[in-house]
Amino acid sequence: AARMFLRLLSDIHWRAAHPRWRRMTSSQRSTSTTAEPHPVSLPAQAQVVICGGGITGTSVAYHLSKMGWKDIVLLEQGRLAAGTTRFCAGIVSTARPVSIELKMAHYSNKLYQQLQQETGVQTGYMKTGSISLAQTQDRLISLKRIASSLNVMGIPCEIISPKKVLQLHPLINIHDLVGAMYVPEDALVSSANVSLALATAASRNGVQIHERTCVSHVTIQKGRVTGVETDRGRIQCEYFVNCAGQWAYELGHSGEEPVHIPLHACEHFYLLTHPLKEPLSSSLPTIVDPDGRIYIRNWQGGILSGGFEKNPKPLFTEGRNQLEIQNLQEDWDHFGPLLGALLRRMPGLEALQIMQLVNCPESFTPDMRCIMGESPTARGYFVLAGMNSAGISYGGGAGKYLAEWIVNGYPSENVWPLDLKRFGTLQSSRTFLRHRVMEVMPLMCDLKVPRWDFQTGRQLRTSPLYDRLDAQGARWMEKHGFERVKYFVPPGNDLLDLDHSKTFYKPDWFDIVGSEVKCCKEAVCVIDMSSFTKFEISSTGDQALESLQYLFSNDLDVPVGHVVHTGMLNEKGGYENDCSIARLSKRSFFMISPTDQQVHCWAWLKNRLPDDSNLVMEDVTWKYTALNLIGPRAVDVLSELSYAPMTAEHFPSLFCKEMSVGYANGIRVMSITHTGEPGFVLYIPIEYALHVYNEVMNMGQKYGIRNAGYYALRSLRIEKFFAFWGQDLDAFTTPMECGREFQVKLDKGMQFLGQEALWEQKQNGVYKRFTMFILEDHDTDMDLWPWWGEPIFRNGRYVGKTTSSAYSYTLERHVCLGFVHHFDEKTGEELVVTTDFINQGEYEIDIAGQRFQAKAKLYPFSSLFTQRRRKDEVELSGYQRE
């Protein structure tokens, strides 16, 4: 390998004097009228203006025109497909771990397959298949998990042996492989030509396309898009779509009212070679070697090979105005490790002649998922950008979902994992983005086991108790930029092992979390839950109550001091938010929502609350530290600290009252714990946080108090069959489908959002049911663990996926939560899911290709939670509703 490496380097020098990148670009430019050769005047107004003529912009234009919208203008500052799309490797891969990304890639593949016939533009589509290699057993497990998801979606996929890899691709060295995943329908395309084909079809459907037109900024008035300013004049519009790729960040910040789009560019390298002496077959499958950090595809009889190095090079941190992306400077020293990996994987390339080392910018996001959706601050401002080097795989599907979002007000699938509103302004710091993408790019290939955490951009949002908890052994994870405790490492444990525990099996923190759960059930634990989103909504009259009654499904006209669990539903009855609301006074309400709801919930309410100066909504998340006291002795601790009786007779469930705790006044105490266990949540003004925490811990010593983290909370809530938004609940899940009818008051005396959809479900039934599964033949110590996203089988047929899971230390078994569908065996049509359908089936959970028997129930059982029992004493048929 070293000899070949030196030989390759000696073959490089001629390229400096004879750059040949232009020859690599598409040999065919469309001769259609997709873009005028000379500028013509821009229209004075349009319904939609799209900025960006790459794969995402042309896909959005194509799908909008397919949905019947014609008054659309697409603006490109240079030439169509001359940005990142031009440099794309052209690999269409459906092997994605996130469900919505898998669906986008699958749709893209099908779209590109028929695009040439539809438009007459050569797209270079070639179904070659792909092989993802595994050098370790953990990597193979991760591939098996992906394969399970692909198979239940009807995408052909199989786990194959190293020998089979060699049969499919004879040049591959298989000596270090333990297995691989083969996806025969993956494909290759010419990315630039796909964009041109999409633009051609859009143009024929009436979309106007203008090249050489720069957008300077978007005008926004009263929180809504009104127009676009360009170097060729102004266009008035209702909707603007930012598909500007790596320039999306700068464009978002160009106006007086910035739209934050957190992405950052890195240099991305790949190698092009001349044809081999025996040119590679165009049908050879693409090779993805994540452990080697490289991908390899055939290219005109030679190869195209790139990768994601461990030490990426961010660029354009200071911003850069560049009409078209040019090939950046070659850096062979930097590419060296990837070249070495290529030679190890294909050692027969001794006669390899290099054509060029391509260095092009790719934009990455803080969490490795693309960004789409409407701005939380500007109505009508949509974004589709940050494709994380998968633009061609996602482009077709992402454009479809965004077009649906613009036309219908919502997409046809749950795209929350990609929604722009999952980020706040804090993720738009250029320093944060620069540091985070240096971690993100290597993670494209790194093995991501369950519950891994980003290491950069941390300690950004912290509770006032952070240092105190950290000193007591807290181990941290991050949610929406907020540091939250996973668990506490007891003194004397091997901290290094726990910090680096990476496994699909039983984790090293198992016993630690178990002891925290035990304490929650038998004594009292404290969990810092300050990250939860907190809003106060008040009015001078009845405006607050009337508005909230319309926006929430439960009845909020309750006596002062009462707490209501309720959903914030959309028109289809789906959960936009799941929250608790306390009535502080007749005209004031305190709302608690999940951590990642801070931006989304604020935008949803702002856009629907009446524009009334007498109605005020304030985000008070930062004002309060929240301490969750869980366990039967919580009542004793609070009683002694407040000198007030806290028993159920004096402080009933779902009650809220301002109290003094220790020396601190104005503590909002609520009798909820979000786990189903007894206890209270204390909302403490931040200046009192340390004092109250110290008082609670000191007083609780005699009751066996200890700190606990979110892993314990997760175990508790899952064994109690509690659904959480963002994990189990989403905009496509209604209260009727997840057993929360009791949180809906269909007859509360006034109409509310989503009411008609819920009435229809109440009368006609539901097409999926939230179900609890207890694994029966699963060995916790030896078998792979379920985490989330595992396929559910009923009587051998696929019926749904798990949405969350945890080990129940009470049952001493794994508990999975998920939705069961009823598909007609002949037609595949979705049918109503009845209680009998759930109860009469035999169930299995597929964990990385291995199926485990499971018992399904629609309700939790309360008797098991009064005392700990051993597995052989548990009668699983003895469930009863709490």
Side-chain angles (χ1 to χ4, degrees):
R3 181 174 59 86
M4 286 186 285
F5 182 71
L6 292 172
R7 180 175 178 177
L8 289 172
L9 290 180
S10 68
D11 187 46
I12 291 167
H13 300 293
W14 66 273
R15 288 184 312 281
H18 302 88
R20 298 180 57 178
W21 168 242
R22 292 288 178 183
R23 300 184 189 179
M24 183 267 175
T25 58
S26 171
S27 59
Q28 175 184 358
R29 293 288 294 178
S30 172
T31 57
S32 72
T33 56
T34 59
E36 68 279 8
H38 301 290
V40 297
S41 60
L42 297 179
Q45 62 182 36
Q47 188 176 13
V48 183
V49 173
I50 302 169
C51 177
I55 183 65
T56 56
T58 54
S59 179
V60 172
Y62 171 87
H63 286 95
L64 283 174
S65 67
K66 284 285 188 179
M67 296 181 74
W69 284 29
K70 308 299 183 184
D71 190 12
I72 301 165
V73 175
L74 187 150
L75 305 178
E76 165 56 46
Q77 64 177 347
R79 296 173 301 151
L80 287 177
T84 303
T85 299
R86 170 187 169 199
F87 288 83
C88 181
I91 300 170
V92 184
S93 170
T94 54
R96 308 289 170 176
V98 179
S99 176
I100 186 61
E101 293 178 343
L102 191 160
K103 292 176 181 178
M104 290 195 305
H106 183 46
Y107 173 84
S108 297
N109 196 338
K110 293 191 295 183
L111 172 67
Y112 303 157
Q113 190 170 1
Q114 56 85 37
L115 201 55
Q116 183 170 317
Q117 181 178 357
E118 177 185 349
T119 64
V121 177
Q122 296 285 334
T123 61
Y125 184 91
M126 173 69 71
K127 188 178 291 186
T128 62
S130 72
I131 304 174
S132 298
L133 309 180
Q135 297 182 28
T136 67
Q137 288 297 331
D138 275 347
R139 177 70 69 182
L140 189 60
I141 290 168
S142 71
L143 294 179
K144 288 179 177 179
R145 290 177 63 88
I146 295 173
S148 294
S149 296
L150 290 171
N151 283 324
V152 297
M153 280 192 61
I155 301 173
C157 175
E158 61 177 314
I159 299 298
I160 61 176
S161 67
K163 287 185 179 180
K164 180 68 171 179
V165 173
L166 193 60
Q167 293 174 12
L168 294 168
H169 200 307
L171 295 180
I172 294 299
N173 175 15
I174 64 169
H175 81 279
D176 58 347
L177 301 182
V178 297
M181 178 177 68
Y182 178 46
V183 185
E185 293 190 354
D186 280 356
L188 298 176
V189 295
S190 166
S191 304
N193 285 7
V194 168
S195 293
L196 293 173
L198 292 168
T200 298
S203 181
R204 290 172 182 170
N205 287 331
V207 175
Q208 297 184 53
I209 299 177
H210 296 264
E211 296 183 320
R212 309 290 184 187
T213 305
C214 292
V215 174
S216 58
H217 67 274
V218 180
T219 56
I220 299 169
Q221 295 179 4
K222 296 182 179 179
R224 184 161 200 103
V225 168
T226 58
V228 177
E229 295 288 349
T230 79
D231 58 353
R232 296 173 52 202
R234 173 181 169 82
I235 306 176
Q236 290 184 328
C237 63
E238 299 176 49
Y239 300 94
F240 175 75
V241 187
N242 185 339
C243 295
Q246 66 168 331
W247 295 284
Y249 178 97
E250 282 77 18
L251 181 57
H253 281 78
S254 62
E256 294 182 1
E257 300 183 40
V259 173
H260 300 286
I261 305 168
L263 54 81
H264 196 293
C266 277
E267 297 182 23
H268 178 56
F269 296 86
Y270 61 79
L271 185 74
L272 293 170
T273 78
H274 290 284
L276 276 67
K277 288 183 178 179
E278 293 186 16
L280 291 180
S281 167
S282 60
S283 62
L284 272 182
T286 296
I287 298 296
V288 180
D289 184 1
D291 295 310
R293 318 192 72 82
I294 58 171
Y295 55 84
I296 309 166
R297 57 155 288 191
N298 68 76
W299 185 74
Q300 298 182 5
I303 66 167
L304 181 159
S305 179
F308 300 94
E309 62 274 23
K310 292 183 178 180
N311 56 332
K313 299 168 66 176
L315 73 164
F316 304 156
T317 301
E318 70 286 353
R320 182 167 177 174
N321 183 17
Q322 188 181 24
L323 292 184
E324 294 178 7
I325 299 174
Q326 303 299 325
N327 191 17
L328 303 172
Q329 185 175 359
E330 292 182 346
D331 189 339
W332 283 96
D333 289 338
H334 192 78
F335 188 72
L338 299 181
L339 180 58
L342 168 63
L343 294 175
R344 286 189 293 273
R345 189 55 58 206
M346 297 181 71
L349 299 179
E350 292 191 15
L352 185 69
Q353 285 188 317
I354 295 172
M355 177 180 291
Q356 186 172 18
L357 179 63
V358 178
N359 178 5
C360 58
E362 283 274 9
S363 57
F364 295 86
T365 63
D367 60 0
M368 296 186 294
R369 299 196 297 267
C370 75
I371 296 172
M372 71 161 61
E374 189 174 19
S375 161
T377 56
R379 299 296 301 274
Y381 192 121
F382 285 82
V383 177
L384 181 55
M387 306 308 285
N388 298 281
S389 199
I392 196 65
S393 291
Y394 298 154
K400 171 181 181 286
Y401 291 142
L402 194 74
E404 293 171 345
W405 205 331
I406 295 170
V407 174
N408 301 325
Y410 48 84
S412 57
E413 295 282 351
N414 173 36
V415 297
W416 170 248
L418 314 177
D419 195 327
L420 171 63
K421 292 183 284 294
R422 73 188 188 270
F423 296 118
T425 57
L426 55 92
Q427 282 100 351
S428 286
S429 155
R430 291 303 268 175
T431 303
F432 167 83
L433 288 171
R434 181 180 177 87
H435 291 172
R436 176 56 66 85
V437 298
M438 292 176 70
E439 178 183 12
V440 160
M441 193 169 169
L443 280 170
M444 302 296 292
C445 289
D446 286 352
L447 182 67
K448 291 174 282 295
V449 299
R451 313 249 179 117
W452 60 273
D453 302 293
F454 289 106
Q455 301 302 310
T456 55
R458 299 293 297 270
Q459 299 182 33
L460 192 57
R461 302 175 69 198
T462 62
S463 160
L465 304 177
Y466 178 88
D467 288 338
R468 184 76 198 281
L469 300 178
D470 194 59
Q472 297 179 75
R475 288 296 171 265
W476 302 92
M477 60 182 179
E478 172 241 345
K479 184 82 165 181
H480 201 62
F482 212 113
E483 296 293 328
R484 311 202 304 183
V485 180
K486 295 187 285 190
Y487 50 80
F488 286 83
V489 178
N493 279 60
D494 189 334
L495 308 187
L496 188 63
D497 283 351
L498 283 166
D499 283 343
H500 295 86
S501 173
K502 294 183 177 181
T503 179
F504 289 99
Y505 291 88
K506 179 180 177 180
D508 291 342
W509 44 257
F510 178 82
D511 292 331
I512 294 174
V513 174
S515 62
E516 292 179 3
V517 168
K518 177 180 173 70
C519 187
C520 287
K521 290 180 172 294
E522 298 178 357
V524 56
C525 276
V526 179
I527 301 179
D528 184 347
M529 298 181 66
S530 303
S531 67
F532 272 38
T533 298
K534 299 172 275 290
F535 295 162
E536 287 182 0
I537 303 163
S538 59
S539 60
T540 55
D542 293 332
Q543 300 96 326
L545 176 62
E546 292 172 358
S547 299
L548 296 181
Q549 284 283 69
Y550 172 71
L551 292 173
F552 292 89
S553 60
N554 212 336
D555 189 358
L556 298 179
D557 192 6
V558 294
V560 172
H562 283 244
V563 181
V564 176
H565 287 313
T566 183
M568 184 175 79
L569 310 181
N570 53 38
E571 290 83 354
K572 297 166 67 177
Y575 278 97
E576 294 294 334
N577 186 14
D578 178 46
C579 55
S580 302
I581 299 179
R583 192 170 193 178
L584 303 179
S585 69
K586 292 187 93 50
R587 298 170 180 172
S588 178
F589 297 84
F590 184 52
M591 176 179 171
I592 302 101
S593 305
T595 302
D596 49 5
Q597 275 281 356
Q598 190 166 14
V599 177
H600 172 70
C601 181
W602 179 269
W604 179 271
L605 290 174
K606 268 294 186 183
N607 292 335
R608 288 160 179 79
L609 287 172
D611 186 11
D612 187 341
S613 60
N614 295 315
L615 177 63
V616 178
M617 180 171 67
E618 182 184 3
D619 185 345
V620 296
T621 301
W622 63 275
K623 287 187 175 182
Y624 293 94
T625 296
L627 291 182
N628 194 350
L629 271 65
I630 303 176
R633 307 313 298 267
V635 62
D636 300 307
V637 174
L638 267 189
S639 293
E640 292 199 42
L641 282 175
S642 61
Y643 291 98
M646 301 294 293
T647 58
E649 296 78 22
H650 299 91
F651 209 108
S653 179
L654 296 178
F655 194 69
C656 175
K657 184 179 180 181
E658 281 204 356
M659 302 177 61
S660 297
V661 177
Y663 297 152
N665 292 319
I667 311 300
R668 291 176 183 170
V669 180
M670 296 188 192
S671 48
I672 57 175
T673 64
H674 307 285
T675 63
E677 300 296 331
F680 307 88
V681 179
L682 281 59
Y683 291 95
I684 309 159
I686 56 171
E687 62 266 33
Y688 301 147
L690 193 57
H691 167 76
V692 172
Y693 173 78
N694 289 336
E695 290 292 299
V696 166
M697 295 303 289
N698 290 334
M699 183 63 70
Q701 291 302 315
K702 59 184 176 183
Y703 299 109
I705 198 168
R706 66 175 292 171
N707 293 298
Y710 275 81
Y711 284 11
L713 184 143
R714 182 185 182 89
S715 175
L716 290 167
R717 71 95 177 168
I718 287 177
E719 71 178 15
K720 282 285 193 173
F721 204 8
F722 278 27
F724 267 27
W725 191 90
Q727 298 174 40
D728 311 298
L729 308 178
D730 57 42
F732 290 81
T733 304
T734 74
M736 303 300 184
E737 295 166 343
C738 60
R740 292 190 169 199
E741 299 93 333
F742 62 94
Q743 294 185 8
V744 175
K745 294 295 184 289
L746 289 169
D747 56 352
K748 66 179 178 178
M750 67 173 295
Q751 187 179 8
F752 63 86
L753 205 57
Q755 188 176 32
E756 291 184 13
L758 298 186
W759 269 118
E760 184 178 343
Q761 285 192 333
K762 185 176 179 66
Q763 294 167 355
N764 301 329
V766 296
Y767 292 89
K768 63 180 180 181
R769 288 289 295 271
F770 194 50
T771 309
M772 180 180 189
F773 298 93
I774 294 86
L775 298 190
E776 294 188 301
D777 60 345
H778 183 269
D779 188 321
T780 302
D781 295 319
M782 302 300 295
D783 290 328
L784 288 169
W785 275 30
W787 296 97
W788 60 275
E790 290 84 14
I792 303 166
F793 291 86
R794 179 187 181 274
N795 297 344
R797 295 179 60 85
Y798 170 71
V799 292
K801 283 188 174 184
T802 63
T803 52
S804 58
S805 63
Y807 182 80
S808 167
Y809 294 89
T810 306
L811 296 173
E812 296 185 350
R813 300 186 185 195
H814 260 97
V815 176
C816 300
L817 308 182
F819 286 91
V820 171
H821 301 251
H822 185 184
F823 301 108
D824 185 275
E825 293 189 11
K826 295 181 179 180
T827 66
E829 177 187 0
E830 281 201 89
L831 305 175
V832 170
V833 178
T834 63
T835 300
D836 285 343
F837 179 81
I838 298 291
N839 291 335
Q840 293 173 6
E842 297 291 332
Y843 291 89
E844 294 173 304
I845 306 296
D846 181 320
I847 305 176
Q850 183 178 357
R851 296 188 187 182
F852 296 90
Q853 294 180 1
K855 187 74 174 179
K857 288 295 175 181
L858 289 171
Y859 308 110
F861 46 96
S862 58
S863 60
L864 290 172
F865 301 101
T866 57
Q867 59 180 331
R868 186 177 181 87
R869 299 184 181 182
R870 295 205 54 78
K871 279 192 283 190
D872 54 0
E873 296 174 348
V874 175
E875 179 55 50
L876 288 177
S877 63
Y879 287 70
Q880 51 183 287
R881 189 171 182 173
E882 287 196 307

